[in-house]
Each structure stands twice: as C-alpha cells, then as structure tokens.
Amino acid sequence: MSDAGALLGKQIEVQLSGEKTFKGILTDLGMDILVLYNGEHFLYFPMLQVHRFNLSEEIDSEIEYPLYSPMMEDMGSISYRKTLMNAKGMFSEIHVAGHIPLHGYITNVFNDYFAFYSPVYKTMYISLHHLKWLSPHNQGNIPYALSKECFPVNPSAVPMVRSLGEQLKKYAGKLVVLDGGEDPMKIGVLKTAANNLVELTTASGNQVFFKLAHIKSVYMP
C-alpha cells in the first residue's frame, strides 16, 4: 500500500468527481475502493469515483471509530468486487451518477455490471463504472419497514449473462428506462444493443443512440 495507508483510522475528506465532499474516518483502503465511516453509516467508494482524499483540517469530535463493520469480516484484502459480492442479499442504499438514492439488494455481480433488486423499480442493472457509493443498512432492516412477507426479492426471470451489452440484447423490443429516466430521450423501446451502442425508439418515434459505456443504469417498467 502507498503512504495513503498512514491515513487509516484518521478523519479524512473525500472528494468525488463532481466536487461532492464527504468527511469521516478512513476504516479501510484497497487498490480500487475506499471505506469511510461518517459517524452513522459506512460508505464504500469505488476509486473510479474518487477525485482526491486528504487528512481533515478540522476534527469532528462526534465521529468515533466504529466498533464493528457491517459486512467486511473475513474478507481479507478489500476490493471493489469483493465488496459487491459481500453485499449480496444485504439491504443497501446505492448512489449512481446523476441518480437519487436507490434502496434494495444486490442479487448478482457480473463483469461490468451488477443486478440490483429495488421494491420500487424491481430488477435494475447498474454499471460497475458508474456506482458512486454503496452504504449497507443495519442487518435486519427491510426496505420501507415492509414485512418480509410483503417484500420478497424477485430476481429477473430473464437469464443473465456476463456483460451489460449482451444482457440488454435480451430486452430487444421491450420498453426500458436508462439512467433513471430523468431525460425523456432515455425512455423508449430498445431496438438494438450492438457495437457498443444502444438504440432506443422514444415516445415520439425518434431513433436515438447511446454509447454503452455512458449508460449508468437500466430498468424495465
């Protein structure tokens, strides 16, 4: 590990791409992931999203070193992929670039995306390159305080493959929502997914193409 390891156990500031800044105790650090405890929650930041981190100039006396970690026991050296695998089945909050928080469960982890089950959006596909951060809830918590009987995790009935591009091909002819649908041009019928491009037909009948690498999330309403 580089000299950055000297910051373990100390209060730091983390700035993500887009200049959003977080403060807390650095509890773990890997080649491709950083773990921050802000006094209430553990936040797992993929290094892809970290612009910089540094020792805090002002110490928050209310943030104490955590006595436990919600999911990192027995993991050995930490990594982004291990974190996602270890979070499978654990009620978590995730943030994706440009998105409001999403609450639910990671169900599968693949080469360049993971499947996330949300009680609101059902099965979603999240690009590994665009996850901003992951924060697991306390064990035993259930989304929206629903009972277990009211909240079965129902993974997609569509068989999953290793890459997001190949997975999207299975939804040709179906209505899809890209990146949360904040842009109406990202809602439409999926025509093709090939050559690193995704083609949609929008509500007005227009053809629009998106570069696969820039797609952050996908779900089928």
Side-chain angles (χ1 to χ4, degrees):
M1 183 181 295
S2 69
D3 290 344
L7 297 180
L8 284 167
K10 298 179 180 179
Q11 289 194 24
I12 66 168
E13 295 181 0
V14 179
Q15 186 183 82
L16 302 190
S17 304
E19 300 188 352
K20 186 173 182 62
T21 301
F22 298 81
K23 295 182 179 181
I25 296 173
L26 179 65
T27 63
D28 214 337
L29 181 64
M31 293 293 293
D32 59 3
I33 196 163
L34 178 156
V35 187
L36 190 75
Y37 179 68
N38 66 5
E40 296 183 14
H41 306 288
F42 286 85
L43 305 173
Y44 297 81
F45 298 104
M47 282 297 194
L48 283 169
Q49 303 295 340
V50 175
H51 179 67
R52 67 164 172 82
F53 61 100
N54 56 273
L55 192 67
S56 292
E57 294 183 0
E58 298 181 2
I59 301 301
D60 187 340
S61 59
E62 295 186 0
I63 301 178
E64 298 180 354
Y65 196 88
L67 298 177
Y68 75 98
S69 175
M71 65 175 183
M72 303 313 299
E73 294 81 0
D74 302 323
M75 280 191 63
S77 59
I78 189 172
S79 73
Y80 183 16
R81 183 167 293 275
K82 282 184 180 179
T83 297
L84 294 177
M85 294 296 293
N86 213 42
K88 286 175 60 176
M90 179 180 292
F91 175 37
S92 301
E93 176 180 317
I94 65 172
H95 290 247
V96 182
H99 264 192
I100 60 173
L102 299 170
H103 300 270
Y105 298 86
I106 294 173
T107 58
N108 296 95
V109 181
F110 299 105
N111 289 350
D112 61 353
Y113 76 104
F114 63 89
F116 187 78
Y117 185 81
S118 158
V120 177
Y121 302 101
K122 309 309 178 187
T123 296
M124 306 181 71
Y125 302 129
I126 309 295
S127 168
L128 291 181
H129 302 292
H130 294 289
L131 176 68
K132 285 284 190 178
W133 71 90
L134 162 75
S135 181
H137 288 269
N138 292 331
Q139 293 189 19
N141 282 11
I142 298 176
Y144 310 101
L146 294 169
S147 68
K148 291 184 178 180
E149 291 74 18
C150 295
F151 184 63
V153 176
N154 297 316
S156 171
V158 177
M160 296 184 189
V161 294
R162 305 305 300 176
S163 72
L164 182 58
E166 291 300 312
Q167 184 65 22
L168 291 182
K169 289 179 180 180
K170 296 178 177 293
Y171 291 95
K174 297 185 181 299
L175 186 65
V176 301
V177 178
L178 306 180
D179 300 347
E182 296 173 354
D183 180 350
M185 295 291 281
K186 292 184 177 182
I187 304 173
V189 173
L190 177 63
K191 301 300 290 183
T192 60
N195 301 318
N196 294 313
L197 292 174
V198 174
E199 178 186 356
L200 297 186
T201 301
T202 66
S204 59
N206 292 327
Q207 284 183 300
V208 59
F209 296 85
F210 297 96
K211 190 174 179 179
L212 180 63
H214 292 166
I215 292 175
K216 304 170 184 69
S217 68
V218 183
Y219 75 90
M220 284 56 65

